Amino acid sequence: MKTWSASFETSSELCGSNLFIDCFRATVSSEYTQFCSTCINLIFVLLSAVKRHECYIFLRCCFLDRTTQQLPQFRYTMSIEEIGNEGNRYIDSIWHSLYESMYEELTNAFREIEDAAYGMYLDRLMPPLFERLKEVGFVAMEPVEENDFIIGQCLLFRNSLEKWGSETNRSRIFWNVVRRTDGHMVGNLLTEIPHSHLKFDIPSAPVLYTLRECDRGQIMQGIRQIKEIENATGEDV
């Protein structure tokens, strides 16, 4: 974990713009979700002591919001449907604020790297979910092959489909076979990321779906059925 000790050596460093930016980025980075209250209070005291009141208030709100935000609460006994429901609760709670905080950065990035900008977004959104799954005894990552492209910590591009939607609201769905550490297959967790191909835009919340099937052919068929039902009804399924 990144440490803060070097940033507190002098009051001039504490007030520097680089530290302020670093602090802000920390509020939406999964690396900092485990900060203890003692460390946070120390930051607040030091900021207050150098009379940077506006910076102090801003960071206090950011850190308290981040640390009190409820991360996924998974249990080892959960079914794949329960995992999906809890994962969607987490995504609903954070996706839009994260989108807004990264919007300018990723709009600029999109001009250079196009769709890879969405990978940068998922690199911030999804790791807390996969980390919590791992902590309680689930495995959501399969062995990595030489040419694999991975985003969001556990999302493999070879395990994804993108066949639906318009250029302004395209849909890519990744799948992860979820197992318990004892080898028992729990099911399949599908991650859908709506996105535009014309500019950086996420038109609606990323969504998790679930399947019981774990065979690749059955997974792909299950994804197609989900999208067919969704397109036929015009509603989320």
Side-chain angles (χ1 to χ4, degrees):
M1 177 181 287
K2 184 176 179 180
T3 62
W4 290 81
S5 57
S7 298
F8 293 137
E9 292 180 358
T10 65
S11 60
S12 62
E13 290 180 10
L14 184 62
C15 299
S17 60
N18 288 340
L19 174 62
F20 185 83
I21 293 170
D22 199 28
C23 290
F24 173 73
R25 286 177 175 170
T27 68
V28 290
S29 172
S30 63
E31 296 178 5
Y32 295 87
T33 57
Q34 303 300 318
F35 260 140
C36 67
S37 59
T38 302
C39 180
I40 296 169
N41 286 333
L42 175 61
I43 294 170
F44 296 158
V45 169
L46 290 171
L47 286 171
S48 183
V50 295
K51 302 184 184 303
R52 295 292 180 178
H53 183 69
E54 294 82 5
C55 179
Y56 164 78
I57 294 299
F58 175 79
L59 287 176
R60 184 176 180 86
C61 292
C62 288
F63 272 109
L64 286 177
D65 180 69
R66 180 61 183 170
T67 55
T68 57
Q69 180 183 336
Q70 193 174 7
L71 292 173
Q73 303 297 311
F74 298 121
R75 301 184 308 277
Y76 188 72
T77 57
M78 276 183 164
S79 67
I80 192 65
E81 292 81 10
E82 290 172 326
I83 290 172
N85 288 338
E86 179 61 14
N88 276 323
R89 185 203 58 75
Y90 157 72
I91 290 174
D92 286 344
S93 75
I94 191 177
W95 84 272
H96 196 262
S97 59
L98 179 60
Y99 171 73
E100 289 184 330
S101 72
M102 299 184 74
Y103 182 80
E104 183 176 355
E105 173 190 357
L106 296 187
T107 294
N108 292 334
F110 187 90
R111 299 187 183 104
E112 301 293 329
I113 61 176
E114 298 183 341
D115 279 13
Y118 298 108
M120 296 172 64
Y121 174 80
L122 291 172
D123 284 342
R124 299 281 282 274
L125 178 69
M126 297 304 293
L129 186 148
F130 289 121
E131 287 166 5
R132 296 300 281 243
L133 282 174
K134 183 178 179 180
E135 286 172 7
V136 301
F138 292 107
V139 178
M141 187 66 173
E142 62 184 69
V144 177
E145 299 178 1
E146 182 178 357
N147 296 320
D148 272 335
F149 183 50
I150 306 168
I151 61 174
Q153 188 169 312
C154 292
L155 302 176
L156 296 174
F157 261 82
R158 63 179 163 88
N159 289 349
S160 72
L161 290 174
E162 182 175 323
K163 295 180 178 294
W164 305 276
S166 65
E167 288 297 283
T168 58
N169 191 359
R170 197 72 173 158
S171 173
R172 179 175 289 274
I173 297 182
F174 297 85
W175 68 83
N176 292 84
V177 176
V178 179
R179 305 171 178 84
R180 295 193 176 94
T181 49
D182 63 6
H184 175 74
M185 294 279 193
V186 180
N188 223 286
L189 194 64
L190 313 178
T191 304
E192 180 178 32
I193 173 71
H195 60 285
S196 170
H197 282 176
L198 304 183
K199 62 179 181 178
F200 177 73
D201 183 39
I202 302 176
S204 57
V207 179
L208 301 181
Y209 302 107
T210 59
L211 294 171
R212 289 297 181 100
E213 294 79 12
C214 294
D215 172 78
R216 185 179 183 89
Q218 292 178 324
I219 292 167
M220 295 174 72
Q221 181 60 32
I223 292 173
R224 291 187 179 97
Q225 290 175 350
I226 287 172
K227 296 305 295 183
E228 286 172 3
I229 294 172
E230 181 181 292
N231 292 335
T233 61
E235 298 176 355
D236 293 338
V237 295

